[in-house]
């Protein structure tokens, strides 16, 4: 079971690494505008916006078969990516990517719920199980970047799509190895219990903080490749940048449990937001490929932020609602937050004509979640002190 989970994280993120690092620039080289690129890339976030991850999570909790849902979503992700091999028309690509997005957006919430719950129940290290995600992202982005560069291919070479399709196909085959759910059946959660989660003020504030923080990361996910291209640098710079970033994620994930014990979840969230702000400011003000690659060591903030948030949800919702709680997190962040962020950056990119300015905007956006994270930490700390007294 543990090896299948590790492979699932790895293969899924090989594909995501190729999508995130090269698909936006692939589309740009094909002649699509910033708005069109944003509309396509934001489809996953749009599915989150309309509650698709929450829907998948609710179904998983209701039937209590998260492994089965993961198999279905893996198949849909693979099927949705295949048509990209031969489609060039905007609306056909839009339709194919919507199928991919509708399924892929539901994977991480359920997979994290399965993994974090398993880690908690069996005394496993959640961070060490999940570090195979950035390892996959590293392999996909770095290898594809070097292949394009060394083979003399263009940014819109079909190898970009082939890499995406192959990784998701292998992910689906791996998912077939997930065993059937053998855990003891629990009471099936009702809608009233889900609504009760939103009556917890600290949980609501947490979700809002996480949503706005992801908005600030949107520029990096979509327009880092175009930024590198506009500076006249090679595709390998994108691959190396993502590679260095994901390697730093691996390090932080490996030591995550220790960091959580030393600093606590709230401080880790605050640290991660500050790291984001520093990274965006530096990226926006350099044209050096060495600085662009080197500063990606701060990319570990994304892993730090996500793992801390997943742990926060697991610790703050009832056990039978863990999957639902995690998919609410992914709906608010990689759904609403990512969609709004990507669309905002798309319009700003067309307005400014510069990807660098988007990162300055991102740094300012992070001020809001930073203040909310500090406030939530202080309020919960005072409540704990009162309870102890």
């Amino acid at each position: 079971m543990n090896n299948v989970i590790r492979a699932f994280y790895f293969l899924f993120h090989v594909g995501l690494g190729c999508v995130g690092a090269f698909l936006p620039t692939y589309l740009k080289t094909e002649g699509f505008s910033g708005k069109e690129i944003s509309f396509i890339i934001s489809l996953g976030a749009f599915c989150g916006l309309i509650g698709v991850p929450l829907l998948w999570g609710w179904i998983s909790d209701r039937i209590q078969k998260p492994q089965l849902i993961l198999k279905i979503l893996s198949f849909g992700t693979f099927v949705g990516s295949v048509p990209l091999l031969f489609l060039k028309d905007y609306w056909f690509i839009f339709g194919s990517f919507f199928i991919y997005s509708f399924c892929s957006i539901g994977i991480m919430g359920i997979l994290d719920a399965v993994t974090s719950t398993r880690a908690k129940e069996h005394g496993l290290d959640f961070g060490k199980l999940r570090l195979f995600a950035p390892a996959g992202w590293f392999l996909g982005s770095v290898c594809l970047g070097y292949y394009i560069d060394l083979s003399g291919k263009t940014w819109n070479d079909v190898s970009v799509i082939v890499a995406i399709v192959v990784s998701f196909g292998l992910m689906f085959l791996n998912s077939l190895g997930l065993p059937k759910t053998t855990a003891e059946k629990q009471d099936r959660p009702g809608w009233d219990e889900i609504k009760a989660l939103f009556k917890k003020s600290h949980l609501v504030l947490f979700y809002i903080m996480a949503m706005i923080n992801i908005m600030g990361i949107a520029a990096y996910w979509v327009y880092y490749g175009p930024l590198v291209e506009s500076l006249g640098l090679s595709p390998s710079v994108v691959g190396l940048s993502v590679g260095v970033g994901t390697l730093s994620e691996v390090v932080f994930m490996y030591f995550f449990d220790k960091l959580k014990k030393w600093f606590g979840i709230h401080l880790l969230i605050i640290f991660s937001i500050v790291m984001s702000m520093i990274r965006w400011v530096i990226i926006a003000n350099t044209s050096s490929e060495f600085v662009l690659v080197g500063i990606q060591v701060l990319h570990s903030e994304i892993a730090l932020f996500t793992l801390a948030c997943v742990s926060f949800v697991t610790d703050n919702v009832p056990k039978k609602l863990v999957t639902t709680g995690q998919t609410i997190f992914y709906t608010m962040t990689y759904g609403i937050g990512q969609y709004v962020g990507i669309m905002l950056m798309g319009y700003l990119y067309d307005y400014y004509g510069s990807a660098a300015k988007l990162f300055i905007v991102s740094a300012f956006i992070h001020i809001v979640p930073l203040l909310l994270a500090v406030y939530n930490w202080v309020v919960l700390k005072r409540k704990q002190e009162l309870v102890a007294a």
Side-chain angles (χ1 to χ4, degrees):
M1 175 68 169
N2 290 343
N3 287 334
V4 175
I5 289 175
R6 293 185 183 103
F8 204 126
Y9 275 119
F10 180 79
L11 293 168
F12 184 42
H13 283 80
V14 168
L16 291 182
C18 296
V19 170
F22 294 101
L23 188 61
T25 315
Y26 174 93
L27 296 172
K28 179 177 180 292
T29 311
E30 286 288 315
F32 295 112
S33 69
K35 291 179 183 177
E36 289 174 329
I37 294 171
S38 288
F39 272 120
I40 293 173
I41 301 300
S42 67
L43 280 172
F46 174 75
C47 289
L49 181 70
I50 61 176
V52 173
L54 179 57
L55 172 65
W56 288 120
W58 181 79
I59 293 173
S60 177
D61 277 338
R62 286 291 294 177
I63 67 174
Q64 297 181 15
K65 294 181 178 180
Q67 288 89 341
L68 173 62
I69 300 301
L70 284 174
K71 293 174 186 177
I72 294 172
L73 296 181
S74 298
F75 179 72
T77 299
F78 168 62
V79 168
S81 67
V82 171
L84 297 176
L85 286 168
F86 50 85
L87 296 179
K88 297 293 182 180
D89 179 79
Y90 171 75
W91 286 110
F92 284 124
I93 292 176
F94 186 93
S96 176
F97 207 73
F98 178 79
I99 296 172
Y100 155 82
S101 301
F102 188 86
C103 295
S104 63
I105 191 65
I107 289 177
M108 283 305 294
I110 297 175
L111 185 57
D112 276 345
V114 170
T115 308
S116 62
T117 301
R118 181 175 178 81
K120 191 173 183 179
E121 291 178 346
H122 296 273
L124 303 173
D125 192 318
F126 174 50
K128 290 181 181 178
L129 285 172
R130 207 181 185 281
L131 63 80
F132 283 81
W137 196 294
F138 172 81
L139 183 68
S141 58
V142 172
C143 290
L144 183 56
Y146 268 106
Y147 171 77
I148 295 173
D149 200 18
L150 296 176
S151 63
K153 304 290 185 179
T154 60
W155 287 85
N156 62 333
D157 186 73
V158 71
S159 60
V160 172
I161 309 302
V162 170
I164 293 170
V165 172
V166 170
S167 60
F168 290 143
L170 292 174
M171 176 188 71
F172 167 63
L173 293 177
N174 173 74
S175 73
L176 299 179
L178 288 170
K180 295 181 180 179
T181 305
T182 57
E184 181 182 351
K185 295 292 182 182
Q186 305 174 51
D187 292 335
R188 295 181 177 180
W191 182 243
D192 288 340
E193 292 173 293
I194 296 175
K195 289 192 296 183
L197 293 178
F198 292 94
K199 294 180 181 179
K200 299 180 178 182
S201 58
H202 71 281
L203 191 59
V204 172
L205 190 62
F206 161 80
Y207 282 135
I208 294 173
M209 175 278 300
M211 175 188 71
I212 300 174
N213 189 61
I214 295 301
M215 285 175 56
I217 302 176
Y220 174 73
W221 283 324
V222 183
Y223 291 102
Y224 183 71
L227 171 67
V228 171
E229 188 219 19
S230 69
L231 294 173
L233 303 176
S234 70
S236 61
V237 174
V238 175
L240 277 174
S241 296
V242 177
V244 170
T246 48
L247 277 180
S248 68
E249 282 191 286
V250 169
V251 173
F252 271 79
M253 285 187 177
Y254 187 85
F255 292 105
F256 176 73
D257 277 20
K258 288 185 174 62
L259 292 172
K260 185 171 67 172
K261 291 177 182 177
W262 293 342
F263 300 105
I265 290 175
H266 294 283
L267 273 180
L268 291 182
I269 291 174
I270 292 169
F271 289 158
S272 69
I273 297 173
V274 172
M275 290 164 64
S276 291
M277 297 172 71
I278 295 172
R279 183 158 69 124
W280 306 150
V281 170
I282 293 175
I283 287 176
N285 290 281
T286 185
S287 58
S288 167
E289 61 183 282
F290 299 106
V291 175
L292 286 172
V293 172
I295 196 60
Q296 302 310 322
V297 295
L298 296 184
H299 183 79
S300 53
E301 47 85 12
I302 296 179
L304 197 60
F305 180 79
T306 303
L307 262 68
C309 288
V310 169
S311 297
F312 181 90
V313 172
T314 301
D315 293 342
N316 284 271
V317 301
K319 182 179 178 181
K320 64 180 178 180
L321 287 173
V322 168
T323 304
T324 300
Q326 298 293 359
T327 50
I328 291 174
F329 166 69
Y330 277 96
T331 297
M332 295 292 291
T333 53
Y334 296 94
I336 298 173
Q338 189 177 29
Y339 180 80
V340 174
I342 290 175
M343 296 308 299
L344 173 63
M345 295 305 163
Y347 281 104
L348 291 178
Y349 180 73
D350 286 343
Y351 178 77
Y352 288 120
S354 168
K357 292 184 179 179
L358 305 184
F359 290 92
I360 294 295
V361 174
S362 296
F364 277 101
I365 289 175
H366 283 300
I367 294 174
V368 178
L370 177 61
L371 294 176
L372 291 176
V374 171
Y375 175 80
N376 214 15
W377 176 44
V378 171
V379 169
L380 285 176
K381 189 175 181 180
R382 286 179 180 175
K383 287 183 178 179
Q384 291 173 352
E385 290 172 351
L386 289 174
V387 171

